[in-house]
Amino acid sequence: MTRFKYKYLFYSLIPIFLYLLVFHPVITFLSSRGQPINSSFPITFYHKAYIDYRTNPPRLRLFSLNPCVKPNTYLLIDVYNRGSPIPNEVKLLGDPFGFFNENCPPVYGPATHCFYVPHTFYGVLPDNGIIEKATIRWEDREIEFAIEEIGKKYERGLTVCLQIVYYYSQWQNVILYIEAWRAQGATRFIVFYHSSTEDTKKVLDYYEKLGLIELRPWPNIGELSSNISPMYPKVDESVFIIATHMALQICSLEIKTSLGIVADFDEVMVPDKGTVLDHAMKEMTGKDIGALLFENTHVALTPNIYTNNYSGVRSLTFTDIFAPPKYIFNTSLIDICETHSPGKFLHKSTYTKMANGTVLHFRFNVKQIRAKIVRKSYRFFPNDTAGHIRNMHDTMNKIFENSPPAFSYKPIETLNKCIAKVKSDVCHSTGGICKAAMDNVTNWVYNTTEGLFTTGTRIIV
Ligand SMILES: *[C@@H]1O[C@H](CO)[C@@H](O)[C@H](O)[C@H]1NC(C)=O
Ligand SMILES: *[C@@H]1O[C@H](CO)[C@@H](O)[C@H](O)[C@H]1NC(C)=O
Ligand SMILES: *[C@@H]1O[C@H](CO)[C@@H](O)[C@H](O)[C@H]1NC(C)=O
Ligand SMILES: *[C@@H]1O[C@H](CO)[C@@H](O)[C@H](O)[C@H]1NC(C)=O
Ligand SMILES: *[C@@H]1O[C@H](CO)[C@@H](O)[C@H](O)[C@H]1NC(C)=O
Ligand SMILES: *[C@@H]1O[C@H](CO)[C@@H](O)[C@H](O)[C@H]1NC(C)=O
C-alpha cells in the first residue's frame, strides 16, 4: 500500500529541496500589504469553522485551498454570538502548510507546482467565543460555515487518523493494521475515504459496522465559484494528492482523545514492550512533551500477507533502509501536523521527544530492494500473536465468505507508472491526473458526497 514512490522521491530529491529552499523566489499571489481577500480570489473552503478552546482567548480556524497568500493577507468573517443578531467582524490571517511549514509554494518536489495549497486562517474570537454562526459575505456571494467546537475536554485514549484512503489501500493491510493498532491500545479510528477497490470497501464497511472505525467522506474538491472558475486551473487537477495535508489538520482537531496519531494503513507504532498507548501515557502525561517521535523501520512478512496468509506476522524481517519518522501527539498541544513531524505546537514550552519504539512500516518489495537485513525485537502484537493471526484469518473469512479474493499488483503498478510519467514541473495531483488510468484497471468505489468544500452561494439581487 504504498506511497513508496513518494517516500523514495523524498530522499532522492533532498539536494533539489535545498536548492529550492535557498534560491527559489517565493512567489506570492497577493502582493500588496494588508489586502482583504474578496470574491475574485480563487479559493474554496472546507465547510466547517473550528472554534478552538485550547487557547485563551479561543481562536476561530478555517481551512482552504488557494494560491499562496502573504501573511498579512486577511479574510473578514462575521461571527454571531448566541442570541445576538448583530455580528462581530473578525479578521483571520492565513498560513500555508504542508512540507516545510510556511514555504509557499511548498518546497517538496511533487507539490511545488500545485496552484492550490492548503491554508489555515486563524483569528482570535471576541468575548468567550460562544458563537453560533460564522459567515463570510462578499458582494456577490455568502459562505456560511458549520460551527465545530473543539478542545474543551479530552478523554483517555489514542485516536488513529488514517490518511485519505484512495486507490492504493489493500484490504489485507487494512485488517492487519486495524487489528495491530487495537492491540496497541488505539481506541478510535477516523478514516478519510476517497476511493478504493470493492474488496477494500467491504473490509472498511465491516469495521465501520462494528463501530470500530468512523468513515469520513473525502470526495473530489470540486469547482471554484462559477464567475471565476474559467480563469483558473481546476482544483482537483492542481492540488497535491487530494489535499491530504488539509485532511490531516481536520482530523487532528476533531480527535476527542488525549493522544492522536496520523498514519497510513501500512504503519503501526510499537514500543519495545507493552502497548504503545501505555508507553505514550507514561512518557507524556503531565509533561510538556507535545510529540513522541518514532523511528521508521521497513518490515517484510514471510509469507507475504498478499498471499492472504497472516502467519508472517510471527517472523518479521527488518531492513536498515532509512525512512522518515512518525509521531504520537498530545491533542491539547498540537497546532499544525506535518506528515513526518509536528509542524507547530500551541505553546513555546512544548517539545518533542524520541520514543523507545518504532514504526513497523510494511513493505511488500523488500526482497527486490535488496536492503540490508537487521535484527530487531519489535512485533505487531504485544502478546498472543498466534491468537491474533487466527483472529485475522477468521475476520478475512467472515468478510469474504471463506473465499478471500486473490491479490493483484495491477492497481499499484498502474498508479506508480502514472506517477512516474508525470513531468517534474507538474503538480502531483494523483487523484485527478491518474483517474483515467486507474479507472481502466478495476471498478473503484468513489465517495461523491457534496458540500464538503464550499465556495459559497450567490446572493441574488
Ligand atoms: C497533554 O498535555 C496536557 C497539557 O500540558 C497535560 O496536562 C496532559 O497530561 C498531556 N496528556 C498526555 C496524555 O500526555
Ligand atoms: C500459511 O503460511 C504458513 C507458513 O508458511 C503455512 O505453514 C500455512 O500452511 C499457511 N496457511 C495457509 C492457509 O496457506
Ligand atoms: C529502551 O528500552 C530498553 C528495554 O526496556 C532499554 O534497554 C533501552 O535502554 C531503552 N532505550 C532508550 C533510548 O530509552
Ligand atoms: C495481552 O495484553 C493485553 C493488554 O496489555 C492484556 O489486557 C491482556 O490481558 C493480555 N493477554 C494475555 C493473554 O496476556
Ligand atoms: C487501458 O488498459 C489497456 C490494457 O491494459 C491499455 O492498452 C490502455 O492503454 C489503457 N488505457 C488507459 C487510458 O490507460
Ligand atoms: C460517502 O461516505 C459517507 C460517509 O461514510 C457515506 O455516508 C456516504 O453514503 C458515502 N456516499 C457515497 C456516494 O459514496
Side-chain angles (χ1 to χ4, degrees):
M1 146 144 197
T2 163
R3 305 207 166 135
F4 71 81
K5 204 80 209 175
Y6 284 117
K7 286 172 186 172
Y8 286 153
L9 256 172
F10 191 86
Y11 291 98
S12 60
L13 287 174
I14 280 175
I16 300 175
F17 294 165
L18 292 178
Y19 170 83
L20 286 168
L21 207 55
V22 178
F23 300 107
H24 195 73
V26 175
I27 304 155
T28 47
F29 195 83
L30 292 172
S31 52
S32 55
R33 291 180 70 83
Q35 196 177 322
I37 287 173
N38 65 26
S39 172
S40 63
F41 187 59
I43 188 166
T44 182
F45 294 94
Y46 188 68
H47 69 288
K48 286 183 185 174
Y50 291 89
I51 314 297
D52 186 349
Y53 290 105
R54 295 174 303 169
T55 53
N56 190 8
R59 298 183 308 172
L60 185 146
R61 280 182 80 173
L62 300 179
F63 294 97
S64 64
L65 290 168
N66 47 271
C68 300
V69 297
K70 280 206 157 185
N72 57 4
T73 305
Y74 60 88
L75 266 172
L76 290 175
I77 187 164
D78 286 340
V79 301
Y80 295 78
N81 279 64
R82 199 154 293 161
S84 168
I86 300 167
N88 284 304
E89 193 171 63
V90 176
K91 190 169 169 175
L92 308 177
L93 293 176
D95 252 337
F97 48 79
F99 301 110
F100 307 107
N101 195 25
E102 284 164 20
N103 277 295
C104 204
V107 287
Y108 176 64
T112 310
H113 298 279
C114 300
F115 186 76
Y116 302 94
V117 179
H119 280 63
T120 180
F121 282 86
Y122 295 96
V124 173
L125 283 172
D127 302 329
N128 54 8
I130 312 268
I131 69 170
E132 59 182 16
K133 194 173 154 183
T135 313
I136 291 175
R137 269 173 216 279
W138 287 330
E139 59 279 16
D140 63 335
R141 58 198 161 106
E142 183 176 280
I143 306 157
E144 182 163 347
F145 295 89
I147 303 286
E148 175 115 2
E149 299 185 340
I150 66 125
K152 280 192 166 160
K153 74 172 204 295
Y154 294 103
E155 65 209 39
R156 184 185 193 275
L158 170 65
T159 300
V160 184
C161 287
L162 270 311
Q163 290 200 31
I164 306 168
V165 170
Y166 82 104
Y167 296 141
Y168 272 128
S169 308
Q170 276 65 260
W171 65 261
Q172 291 88 345
N173 296 63
V174 175
I175 295 179
L176 170 59
Y177 279 84
I178 288 183
E179 296 299 340
W181 271 116
R182 287 173 66 197
Q184 292 296 339
T187 44
R188 192 173 170 224
F189 293 84
I190 298 176
V191 184
F192 287 101
Y193 183 93
H194 175 273
S195 54
S196 74
T197 60
E198 289 166 348
D199 296 330
T200 297
K201 186 68 171 37
K202 268 190 196 161
V203 172
L204 293 170
D205 287 345
Y206 169 83
Y207 282 112
E208 190 188 34
K209 260 191 213 119
L210 289 183
L212 288 173
I213 67 172
E214 293 163 42
L215 281 179
R216 301 282 187 95
W218 195 270
N220 281 354
I221 309 291
E223 306 276 334
L224 291 178
S225 165
S226 60
N227 55 330
I228 54 167
S229 67
M231 283 137 64
Y232 297 104
K234 285 191 182 309
V235 185
D236 291 297
E237 286 168 14
S238 199
V239 62
F240 182 61
I241 306 195
I242 26 191
T244 170
H245 277 80
M246 194 201 275
L248 215 140
Q249 313 310 320
I250 286 166
C251 192
S252 74
L253 292 187
E254 294 198 358
I255 287 176
K256 294 185 171 63
T257 54
S258 58
L259 295 171
I261 123 105
V262 177
D264 283 342
F265 263 132
D266 59 0
E267 298 169 319
V268 67
M269 284 154 182
V270 301
D272 62 308
K273 57 176 188 290
T275 67
V276 84
L277 174 62
D278 290 344
H279 178 77
M281 289 298 290
K282 190 164 138 251
E283 290 284 319
M284 298 169 83
T285 304
K287 305 205 182 90
D288 285 339
I289 301 175
L292 207 52
L293 204 59
F294 289 72
E295 58 155 31
N296 191 320
T297 305
H298 282 193
V299 53
L301 279 68
T302 318
N304 192 318
I305 57 172
Y306 296 154
T307 60
N308 297 346
N309 183 337
Y310 286 99
S311 306
V313 167
R314 224 182 311 244
S315 49
L316 305 179
T317 307
F318 302 99
T319 65
D320 74 343
I321 295 172
F322 177 79
K326 287 274 172 132
Y327 59 101
I328 288 184
F329 56 83
N330 180 328
T331 317
S332 55
L333 300 174
I334 194 88
D335 188 8
I336 300 274
C337 288
E338 295 287 347
T339 309
H340 298 291
S341 63
K344 213 193 252 177
F345 296 120
L346 292 169
H347 315 290
K348 287 219 163 63
S349 57
T350 308
Y351 62 99
T352 298
K353 193 186 167 187
M354 272 318 280
N356 195 346
T358 199
V359 180
L360 291 179
H361 192 168
F362 178 76
R363 299 283 83 168
F364 66 87
N365 58 347
V366 162
K367 288 212 179 84
Q368 283 139 274
I369 302 167
R370 287 206 225 107
K372 195 174 149 222
I373 307 297
V374 289
R375 291 182 66 85
K376 297 202 181 195
S377 56
Y378 297 116
R379 43 197 188 181
F380 280 90
F381 298 97
N383 60 19
D384 193 20
T385 294
H388 284 288
I389 292 172
R390 271 197 310 278
N391 171 47
M392 289 188 283
H393 284 141
D394 290 349
T395 301
M396 163 179 92
N397 286 323
K398 201 187 283 172
I399 296 169
F400 296 108
E401 292 162 1
N402 293 320
S403 49
F407 182 78
S408 164
Y409 283 99
K410 197 83 198 282
I412 299 186
E413 283 169 1
T414 306
L415 191 56
N416 285 334
K417 257 188 224 151
C418 169
I419 293 166
K421 266 197 297 203
V422 176
K423 293 206 200 82
S424 61
D425 62 350
V426 171
C427 169
H428 281 208
S429 178
T430 342
I433 56 185
C434 296
K435 186 172 186 299
M438 296 309 284
D439 283 343
N440 198 22
V441 176
T442 188
N443 290 327
W444 300 95
V445 184
Y446 289 99
N447 193 288
T448 55
T449 301
E450 286 181 8
L452 230 65
F453 304 94
T454 176
T455 59
T457 43
R458 292 184 79 85
I459 299 170
I460 323 256
V461 238

